[in-house]
Amino acid sequence: MKKLFAIIMALAALQATAKTDEAKMNRFIDNLMSKMTVQEKIGQLNLPVSGEIVTGQAKSSDVATKIKNGQVGGLFNLKGVDKIREVQKIAVEQSRLHIPLIFGMDVIHGYETVFPIPFALSMSWDMDAIRNSARIAAVESTADGISWTFSPMVDICRDSRWGRMAEGAGEDPYLGSQIAKAMVEGYQGNDLTANNTMLACVKHFALYGGAEAGRDYNTVDMSHTRMFNEYFPPYKAASDAGAGSFMTSFNTVDYIPATGNKWLMTTVLRDMWGFKGFVVTDYTAISEMIAHGMGDLQTVSALALNAGTDMDMVADGFVGTIEKSLSEGKVTMATIDQACRRILEAKYKLGLFDDPYRYLDSKRVTKEIYTAEHRAAARKLATETFVLLENRDNLLPLKKQGKIALVGPLADTRTNMPGTWSVAAASDKYKSVREAMTDALKGKAEVLYAKGSNICYDETLELNSTMFGREMRDKRDAKVMRDEAVAIAKQADVIVACMGEPSEMTGESSSRTNLEILDAQKDLLEALKATGKPIVLLNFSGRTTVMNWEKENFGTILNVWFGGSEAGDAICDVVFGDVAPSGRLSASMPKSVGQIPIYYNHLNTGRPCNKWFQKFTSNYLDVDNAPLYPFGYGKSYTTFAYGAPAISSTSMTEDGSINVSVKVSNTGNYDGAEVVQLYIRDLVGSISRPVKELKDFKRIFLKKGESQVVNFTITADKLKFYNNELQYICEPGDFEVMVGPNSQEVQTLTFSLK
Ligand code: BGC
């Protein structure tokens, strides 16, 4: 009792401090704003791109004049403490009110220590490690002058034609929400004013992953019920976790571009969810509303501001037109003040008014970036993201002996390791797979290498998929390259083939319509197969691809996505068995592009297909409905056995709970991690409910021979959904609860909510 009282008193004291802090902040900002001109207020709403600011010349840059005139609130993608200090000095020393700038960057999966791409991170289902990856990213970015990151990207995606699947956490709202929360916590820590925490920016609000036909920037149209139940949860989770800023998305929502959508930016984000931070647009999203057919620059800028968008990234719409709109009564001073206040508050919370140079300590640059400790964390986490799709002959793990033929267009490339959106990567410091393997096998086994093929035969496609030729295309004849690979394969005991997409074949503006293996690589794999040597296929990709042919022809497939700066070593850790793979798919892998959008948590239809093919049921003539590999799937070197699950009661009330437990045993020959998954189905509802939904999971580590009883608690929270009136409720009735290693192999129990 005494302890409880002490806790309550401590919480009350904390709350009181927060209130005084807020009152102090409000007084400070009131005072500052009372001195600001309209132009200066609008200036705070302006976020131009840093352009080519060269160290030592910042003062003479174009943007410097604007900063002096108080026309800039912040800058982004400017790298390096010296450059940033020069620019900050201009704002602080030469602008009339000395308001510091905020410096942002797309630090979306690590800084110079690069973690696996976000899509890969989500395969780890390891929230502590993901939170820590964001923590490390914040330490490194702030050591280099950046205090605002355009991350986490939490767009749900069920369509792998969309290249930006690489940047998100896959198809599931529950997993996506856990990750969104972990990342915000990692970036922002407990104290935003600390010089090693940074402001998160949740993007892209909203629904960007629903782009029609997977074509980037395309139209999105969906019911509110689907938005709230399936696409909004990760944004809300990030807002609930206290994210300091949100970024608008490029797409339309209900036929109004998100950036100018008041229902989205004000009704949902602020009124319903209580978001208190500021909203920045995506790159030129304001001026893009002209092409969306919403009016001229002045009209769309006013539309954005009135909708609740506070900061204009690059479009020059706010600085260019808002003053005019004010004089014409199209926006009010109160609206401008509100946006300006939100941005000043963020700067205040980051501690920039106390010390505008607090993120500019050159000593930190050498001590805190790309450290041994950070690299070790990235390497370990990368091993957790690889998904072992097949290991039919137990070829993996390989022994460190004999001769290994390492082949493929992705076997000896450093620039393709970190993955898309690695803006602070130093690829020359990272190892290619070839370099890592040579290190790993030194004195034990021999690595023979041949590239074997280019990415694909089509030179233009390769150019467009590699940031316009970042990686040199091999000019040799395709057959010559292939023959060289076959020749070394014949001398080797085993082939390790590094195939798939180059890293920029996913990411922004990298949509594809064909997701099967690329032609030149297919020919190479066929030639390698003809040698009769055992083959380990390492598949690189930033999305789920169509791998029927690979599954049919190759018994050993490890999907390695893009594993970050330490990917080479991490791949070797798994291939040679120092660590057993434990990644689990965060998106269903389709059997055909024609099945897309494909996701496990779908509705049932009135004519569900129980056995393919059946006329007049919901199926295709040429392929069944199941994915090639289901959501949650992934193998290990060891095996896990599930006992029969137990349920503490078969009925519960809304304020009660039920415990579900299952014994999981490591029955194989390796130590390894397993992700135990819990799904729920609401059998009858006032709206049609999905066939199953992930509601909990536990990642556990078991030594060989070990067992553990895994417990899950079901509360009403796990049964709630948004009904057609958008009320968040649970409805009495019968439910199924399913436990298993993936969304397909589950054991089912039932209970009812009274
Ligand atoms: C992307 C955003 C990114 C922004 C700034 C845009 O093109 O859509 O995700 O944060 O650029 O670099």
Side-chain angles (χ1 to χ4, degrees), residues 450-475:
K451 186 169 178 181
S453 83
N454 280 312
I455 294 293
C456 52
Y457 292 130
D458 181 343
E459 206 168 331
T460 312
L461 175 59
E462 179 158 342
L463 204 67
N464 293 344
S465 311
T466 52
M467 274 313 204
F468 316 111
R470 190 170 68 180
E471 193 79 359
M472 288 300 287
R473 189 174 159 88
D474 201 311
K475 295 284 177 220

PDB file of all heavy atoms in Angstrom, residues 450-475:
ATOM      1  N   ALA A 450      33.058 -15.774 -59.352  1.00  0.00           N
ATOM      2  CA  ALA A 450      32.752 -15.255 -60.697  1.00  0.00           C
ATOM      3  C   ALA A 450      31.410 -14.541 -60.625  1.00  0.00           C
ATOM      4  O   ALA A 450      30.484 -15.011 -59.955  1.00  0.00           O
ATOM      5  CB  ALA A 450      32.679 -16.396 -61.705  1.00  0.00           C
ATOM      6  N   LYS A 451      31.315 -13.423 -61.310  1.00  0.00           N
ATOM      7  CA  LYS A 451      30.051 -12.673 -61.285  1.00  0.00           C
ATOM      8  C   LYS A 451      28.938 -13.473 -61.961  1.00  0.00           C
ATOM      9  O   LYS A 451      27.806 -13.520 -61.483  1.00  0.00           O
ATOM     10  CB  LYS A 451      30.246 -11.315 -61.965  1.00  0.00           C
ATOM     11  CG  LYS A 451      29.039 -10.403 -61.860  1.00  0.00           C
ATOM     12  CD  LYS A 451      29.348  -8.986 -62.314  1.00  0.00           C
ATOM     13  CE  LYS A 451      28.106  -8.108 -62.254  1.00  0.00           C
ATOM     14  NZ  LYS A 451      28.324  -6.737 -62.687  1.00  0.00           N
ATOM     15  N   GLY A 452      29.231 -14.063 -63.091  1.00  0.00           N
ATOM     16  CA  GLY A 452      28.270 -14.972 -63.725  1.00  0.00           C
ATOM     17  C   GLY A 452      27.206 -14.323 -64.580  1.00  0.00           C
ATOM     18  O   GLY A 452      26.797 -14.877 -65.599  1.00  0.00           O
ATOM     19  N   SER A 453      26.723 -13.155 -64.166  1.00  0.00           N
ATOM     20  CA  SER A 453      25.734 -12.455 -65.007  1.00  0.00           C
ATOM     21  C   SER A 453      25.576 -11.029 -64.498  1.00  0.00           C
ATOM     22  O   SER A 453      25.933 -10.732 -63.360  1.00  0.00           O
ATOM     23  CB  SER A 453      24.367 -13.146 -64.968  1.00  0.00           C
ATOM     24  OG  SER A 453      23.642 -12.738 -63.831  1.00  0.00           O
ATOM     25  N   ASN A 454      25.035 -10.201 -65.354  1.00  0.00           N
ATOM     26  CA  ASN A 454      24.585  -8.890 -64.896  1.00  0.00           C
ATOM     27  C   ASN A 454      23.246  -9.070 -64.188  1.00  0.00           C
ATOM     28  O   ASN A 454      22.718 -10.183 -64.096  1.00  0.00           O
ATOM     29  CB  ASN A 454      24.467  -7.928 -66.078  1.00  0.00           C
ATOM     30  CG  ASN A 454      25.826  -7.364 -66.464  1.00  0.00           C
ATOM     31  OD1 ASN A 454      26.583  -6.905 -65.606  1.00  0.00           O
ATOM     32  ND2 ASN A 454      26.149  -7.426 -67.750  1.00  0.00           N
ATOM     33  N   ILE A 455      22.654  -7.973 -63.733  1.00  0.00           N
ATOM     34  CA  ILE A 455      21.354  -8.038 -63.059  1.00  0.00           C
ATOM     35  C   ILE A 455      20.296  -8.597 -64.016  1.00  0.00           C
ATOM     36  O   ILE A 455      19.487  -9.443 -63.663  1.00  0.00           O
ATOM     37  CB  ILE A 455      20.933  -6.626 -62.575  1.00  0.00           C
ATOM     38  CG1 ILE A 455      21.889  -6.133 -61.475  1.00  0.00           C
ATOM     39  CG2 ILE A 455      19.474  -6.585 -62.122  1.00  0.00           C
ATOM     40  CD1 ILE A 455      21.836  -6.906 -60.170  1.00  0.00           C
ATOM     41  N   CYS A 456      20.310  -8.096 -65.252  1.00  0.00           N
ATOM     42  CA  CYS A 456      19.341  -8.546 -66.246  1.00  0.00           C
ATOM     43  C   CYS A 456      19.911  -8.221 -67.619  1.00  0.00           C
ATOM     44  O   CYS A 456      20.909  -7.504 -67.720  1.00  0.00           O
ATOM     45  CB  CYS A 456      17.990  -7.851 -66.036  1.00  0.00           C
ATOM     46  SG  CYS A 456      18.121  -6.053 -65.957  1.00  0.00           S
ATOM     47  N   TYR A 457      19.283  -8.734 -68.666  1.00  0.00           N
ATOM     48  CA  TYR A 457      19.802  -8.462 -70.020  1.00  0.00           C
ATOM     49  C   TYR A 457      19.515  -7.021 -70.451  1.00  0.00           C
ATOM     50  O   TYR A 457      20.266  -6.426 -71.193  1.00  0.00           O
ATOM     51  CB  TYR A 457      19.198  -9.443 -71.033  1.00  0.00           C
ATOM     52  CG  TYR A 457      19.676 -10.873 -70.822  1.00  0.00           C
ATOM     53  CD1 TYR A 457      18.763 -11.929 -70.753  1.00  0.00           C
ATOM     54  CD2 TYR A 457      21.032 -11.160 -70.691  1.00  0.00           C
ATOM     55  CE1 TYR A 457      19.195 -13.238 -70.558  1.00  0.00           C
ATOM     56  CE2 TYR A 457      21.477 -12.465 -70.492  1.00  0.00           C
ATOM     57  CZ  TYR A 457      20.549 -13.489 -70.424  1.00  0.00           C
ATOM     58  OH  TYR A 457      20.990 -14.767 -70.218  1.00  0.00           O
ATOM     59  N   ASP A 458      18.420  -6.494 -70.007  1.00  0.00           N
ATOM     60  CA  ASP A 458      18.005  -5.162 -70.452  1.00  0.00           C
ATOM     61  C   ASP A 458      18.853  -4.084 -69.753  1.00  0.00           C
ATOM     62  O   ASP A 458      18.692  -3.819 -68.555  1.00  0.00           O
ATOM     63  CB  ASP A 458      16.516  -4.977 -70.110  1.00  0.00           C
ATOM     64  CG  ASP A 458      15.966  -3.632 -70.558  1.00  0.00           C
ATOM     65  OD1 ASP A 458      16.765  -2.715 -70.847  1.00  0.00           O
ATOM     66  OD2 ASP A 458      14.731  -3.496 -70.611  1.00  0.00           O
ATOM     67  N   GLU A 459      19.714  -3.468 -70.556  1.00  0.00           N
ATOM     68  CA  GLU A 459      20.650  -2.501 -70.005  1.00  0.00           C
ATOM     69  C   GLU A 459      19.928  -1.308 -69.366  1.00  0.00           C
ATOM     70  O   GLU A 459      20.319  -0.800 -68.324  1.00  0.00           O
ATOM     71  CB  GLU A 459      21.557  -2.004 -71.125  1.00  0.00           C
ATOM     72  CG  GLU A 459      22.886  -1.526 -70.642  1.00  0.00           C
ATOM     73  CD  GLU A 459      23.862  -1.305 -71.792  1.00  0.00           C
ATOM     74  OE1 GLU A 459      23.733  -2.007 -72.828  1.00  0.00           O
ATOM     75  OE2 GLU A 459      24.701  -0.430 -71.670  1.00  0.00           O
ATOM     76  N   THR A 460      18.863  -0.865 -70.014  1.00  0.00           N
ATOM     77  CA  THR A 460      18.141   0.301 -69.501  1.00  0.00           C
ATOM     78  C   THR A 460      17.476  -0.019 -68.170  1.00  0.00           C
ATOM     79  O   THR A 460      17.521   0.773 -67.232  1.00  0.00           O
ATOM     80  CB  THR A 460      17.051   0.741 -70.512  1.00  0.00           C
ATOM     81  OG1 THR A 460      17.662   0.799 -71.783  1.00  0.00           O
ATOM     82  CG2 THR A 460      16.462   2.081 -70.156  1.00  0.00           C
ATOM     83  N   LEU A 461      16.872  -1.204 -68.085  1.00  0.00           N
ATOM     84  CA  LEU A 461      16.237  -1.587 -66.819  1.00  0.00           C
ATOM     85  C   LEU A 461      17.288  -1.628 -65.708  1.00  0.00           C
ATOM     86  O   LEU A 461      17.064  -1.146 -64.597  1.00  0.00           O
ATOM     87  CB  LEU A 461      15.544  -2.952 -66.962  1.00  0.00           C
ATOM     88  CG  LEU A 461      14.939  -3.540 -65.679  1.00  0.00           C
ATOM     89  CD1 LEU A 461      13.883  -2.623 -65.074  1.00  0.00           C
ATOM     90  CD2 LEU A 461      14.323  -4.922 -65.950  1.00  0.00           C
ATOM     91  N   GLU A 462      18.448  -2.166 -66.032  1.00  0.00           N
ATOM     92  CA  GLU A 462      19.504  -2.245 -65.011  1.00  0.00           C
ATOM     93  C   GLU A 462      19.959  -0.840 -64.591  1.00  0.00           C
ATOM     94  O   GLU A 462      20.136  -0.558 -63.409  1.00  0.00           O
ATOM     95  CB  GLU A 462      20.696  -3.066 -65.510  1.00  0.00           C
ATOM     96  CG  GLU A 462      21.800  -3.137 -64.468  1.00  0.00           C
ATOM     97  CD  GLU A 462      22.765  -4.305 -64.623  1.00  0.00           C
ATOM     98  OE1 GLU A 462      22.432  -5.275 -65.326  1.00  0.00           O
ATOM     99  OE2 GLU A 462      23.862  -4.234 -64.043  1.00  0.00           O
ATOM    100  N   LEU A 463      20.082   0.030 -65.579  1.00  0.00           N
ATOM    101  CA  LEU A 463      20.500   1.412 -65.300  1.00  0.00           C
ATOM    102  C   LEU A 463      19.480   2.113 -64.378  1.00  0.00           C
ATOM    103  O   LEU A 463      19.834   2.732 -63.382  1.00  0.00           O
ATOM    104  CB  LEU A 463      20.610   2.154 -66.631  1.00  0.00           C
ATOM    105  CG  LEU A 463      21.514   3.357 -66.677  1.00  0.00           C
ATOM    106  CD1 LEU A 463      22.969   2.941 -66.493  1.00  0.00           C
ATOM    107  CD2 LEU A 463      21.359   4.064 -68.020  1.00  0.00           C
ATOM    108  N   ASN A 464      18.222   1.972 -64.721  1.00  0.00           N
ATOM    109  CA  ASN A 464      17.175   2.629 -63.933  1.00  0.00           C
ATOM    110  C   ASN A 464      17.009   2.014 -62.543  1.00  0.00           C
ATOM    111  O   ASN A 464      16.445   2.642 -61.654  1.00  0.00           O
ATOM    112  CB  ASN A 464      15.826   2.548 -64.661  1.00  0.00           C
ATOM    113  CG  ASN A 464      15.820   3.366 -65.933  1.00  0.00           C
ATOM    114  OD1 ASN A 464      16.699   4.211 -66.130  1.00  0.00           O
ATOM    115  ND2 ASN A 464      14.867   3.105 -66.809  1.00  0.00           N
ATOM    116  N   SER A 465      17.474   0.788 -62.383  1.00  0.00           N
ATOM    117  CA  SER A 465      17.295   0.092 -61.105  1.00  0.00           C
ATOM    118  C   SER A 465      18.527   0.178 -60.224  1.00  0.00           C
ATOM    119  O   SER A 465      18.600  -0.474 -59.188  1.00  0.00           O
ATOM    120  CB  SER A 465      17.010  -1.393 -61.346  1.00  0.00           C
ATOM    121  OG  SER A 465      16.000  -1.553 -62.291  1.00  0.00           O
ATOM    122  N   THR A 466      19.517   0.928 -60.636  1.00  0.00           N
ATOM    123  CA  THR A 466      20.750   1.011 -59.846  1.00  0.00           C
ATOM    124  C   THR A 466      21.130   2.470 -59.641  1.00  0.00           C
ATOM    125  O   THR A 466      22.305   2.822 -59.659  1.00  0.00           O
ATOM    126  CB  THR A 466      21.908   0.274 -60.549  1.00  0.00           C
ATOM    127  OG1 THR A 466      22.007   0.753 -61.896  1.00  0.00           O
ATOM    128  CG2 THR A 466      21.703  -1.219 -60.570  1.00  0.00           C
ATOM    129  N   MET A 467      20.128   3.320 -59.463  1.00  0.00           N
ATOM    130  CA  MET A 467      20.368   4.757 -59.330  1.00  0.00           C
ATOM    131  C   MET A 467      21.216   5.223 -60.516  1.00  0.00           C
ATOM    132  O   MET A 467      22.247   5.857 -60.350  1.00  0.00           O
ATOM    133  CB  MET A 467      21.068   5.086 -58.016  1.00  0.00           C
ATOM    134  CG  MET A 467      20.161   5.284 -56.834  1.00  0.00           C
ATOM    135  SD  MET A 467      18.761   6.362 -57.181  1.00  0.00           S
ATOM    136  CE  MET A 467      18.307   6.967 -55.608  1.00  0.00           C
ATOM    137  N   PHE A 468      20.778   4.823 -61.683  1.00  0.00           N
ATOM    138  CA  PHE A 468      21.403   5.264 -62.927  1.00  0.00           C
ATOM    139  C   PHE A 468      22.867   4.844 -63.029  1.00  0.00           C
ATOM    140  O   PHE A 468      23.762   5.649 -63.261  1.00  0.00           O
ATOM    141  CB  PHE A 468      21.214   6.764 -63.112  1.00  0.00           C
ATOM    142  CG  PHE A 468      19.811   7.188 -62.795  1.00  0.00           C
ATOM    143  CD1 PHE A 468      19.515   7.953 -61.690  1.00  0.00           C
ATOM    144  CD2 PHE A 468      18.755   6.725 -63.574  1.00  0.00           C
ATOM    145  CE1 PHE A 468      18.213   8.279 -61.368  1.00  0.00           C
ATOM    146  CE2 PHE A 468      17.448   7.044 -63.265  1.00  0.00           C
ATOM    147  CZ  PHE A 468      17.175   7.825 -62.158  1.00  0.00           C
ATOM    148  N   GLY A 469      23.079   3.533 -62.802  1.00  0.00           N
ATOM    149  CA  GLY A 469      24.402   2.985 -63.061  1.00  0.00           C
ATOM    150  C   GLY A 469      25.398   3.191 -61.942  1.00  0.00           C
ATOM    151  O   GLY A 469      26.595   3.262 -62.186  1.00  0.00           O
ATOM    152  N   ARG A 470      24.900   3.264 -60.693  1.00  0.00           N
ATOM    153  CA  ARG A 470      25.818   3.432 -59.573  1.00  0.00           C
ATOM    154  C   ARG A 470      26.831   2.280 -59.558  1.00  0.00           C
ATOM    155  O   ARG A 470      27.972   2.432 -59.203  1.00  0.00           O
ATOM    156  CB  ARG A 470      25.014   3.453 -58.271  1.00  0.00           C
ATOM    157  CG  ARG A 470      25.831   3.845 -57.087  1.00  0.00           C
ATOM    158  CD  ARG A 470      24.967   4.077 -55.893  1.00  0.00           C
ATOM    159  NE  ARG A 470      24.370   2.822 -55.431  1.00  0.00           N
ATOM    160  CZ  ARG A 470      23.556   2.743 -54.386  1.00  0.00           C
ATOM    161  NH1 ARG A 470      23.210   3.831 -53.745  1.00  0.00           N
ATOM    162  NH2 ARG A 470      23.055   1.595 -53.991  1.00  0.00           N
ATOM    163  N   GLU A 471      26.354   1.119 -59.932  1.00  0.00           N
ATOM    164  CA  GLU A 471      27.221  -0.053 -59.986  1.00  0.00           C
ATOM    165  C   GLU A 471      27.513  -0.335 -61.457  1.00  0.00           C
ATOM    166  O   GLU A 471      26.606  -0.337 -62.278  1.00  0.00           O
ATOM    167  CB  GLU A 471      26.473  -1.222 -59.353  1.00  0.00           C
ATOM    168  CG  GLU A 471      27.311  -2.399 -59.059  1.00  0.00           C
ATOM    169  CD  GLU A 471      28.129  -2.256 -57.782  1.00  0.00           C
ATOM    170  OE1 GLU A 471      28.072  -1.205 -57.108  1.00  0.00           O
ATOM    171  OE2 GLU A 471      28.832  -3.195 -57.480  1.00  0.00           O
ATOM    172  N   MET A 472      28.786  -0.574 -61.779  1.00  0.00           N
ATOM    173  CA  MET A 472      29.161  -0.770 -63.186  1.00  0.00           C
ATOM    174  C   MET A 472      28.589  -2.075 -63.744  1.00  0.00           C
ATOM    175  O   MET A 472      28.683  -3.121 -63.135  1.00  0.00           O
ATOM    176  CB  MET A 472      30.693  -0.814 -63.314  1.00  0.00           C
ATOM    177  CG  MET A 472      31.359   0.519 -63.111  1.00  0.00           C
ATOM    178  SD  MET A 472      30.797   1.743 -64.307  1.00  0.00           S
ATOM    179  CE  MET A 472      31.639   1.129 -65.770  1.00  0.00           C
ATOM    180  N   ARG A 473      28.008  -1.972 -64.922  1.00  0.00           N
ATOM    181  CA  ARG A 473      27.529  -3.158 -65.607  1.00  0.00           C
ATOM    182  C   ARG A 473      28.712  -3.808 -66.309  1.00  0.00           C
ATOM    183  O   ARG A 473      29.575  -3.117 -66.861  1.00  0.00           O
ATOM    184  CB  ARG A 473      26.470  -2.729 -66.625  1.00  0.00           C
ATOM    185  CG  ARG A 473      25.703  -3.852 -67.273  1.00  0.00           C
ATOM    186  CD  ARG A 473      24.604  -3.277 -68.132  1.00  0.00           C
ATOM    187  NE  ARG A 473      24.183  -4.253 -69.133  1.00  0.00           N
ATOM    188  CZ  ARG A 473      23.241  -5.162 -68.922  1.00  0.00           C
ATOM    189  NH1 ARG A 473      22.622  -5.195 -67.764  1.00  0.00           N
ATOM    190  NH2 ARG A 473      22.907  -6.032 -69.860  1.00  0.00           N
ATOM    191  N   ASP A 474      28.747  -5.135 -66.266  1.00  0.00           N
ATOM    192  CA  ASP A 474      29.844  -5.860 -66.912  1.00  0.00           C
ATOM    193  C   ASP A 474      29.601  -5.883 -68.413  1.00  0.00           C
ATOM    194  O   ASP A 474      28.521  -6.259 -68.870  1.00  0.00           O
ATOM    195  CB  ASP A 474      29.883  -7.290 -66.348  1.00  0.00           C
ATOM    196  CG  ASP A 474      31.226  -7.932 -66.535  1.00  0.00           C
ATOM    197  OD1 ASP A 474      31.750  -7.881 -67.664  1.00  0.00           O
ATOM    198  OD2 ASP A 474      31.760  -8.474 -65.549  1.00  0.00           O
ATOM    199  N   LYS A 475      30.604  -5.440 -69.157  1.00  0.00           N
ATOM    200  CA  LYS A 475      30.417  -5.316 -70.612  1.00  0.00           C
ATOM    201  C   LYS A 475      30.631  -6.635 -71.349  1.00  0.00           C
ATOM    202  O   LYS A 475      30.423  -6.724 -72.559  1.00  0.00           O
ATOM    203  CB  LYS A 475      31.393  -4.269 -71.187  1.00  0.00           C
ATOM    204  CG  LYS A 475      31.133  -2.853 -70.672  1.00  0.00           C
ATOM    205  CD  LYS A 475      29.919  -2.220 -71.355  1.00  0.00           C
ATOM    206  CE  LYS A 475      29.617  -0.845 -70.777  1.00  0.00           C
ATOM    207  NZ  LYS A 475      28.213  -0.561 -70.606  1.00  0.00           N
TER     208      LYS A 475
END
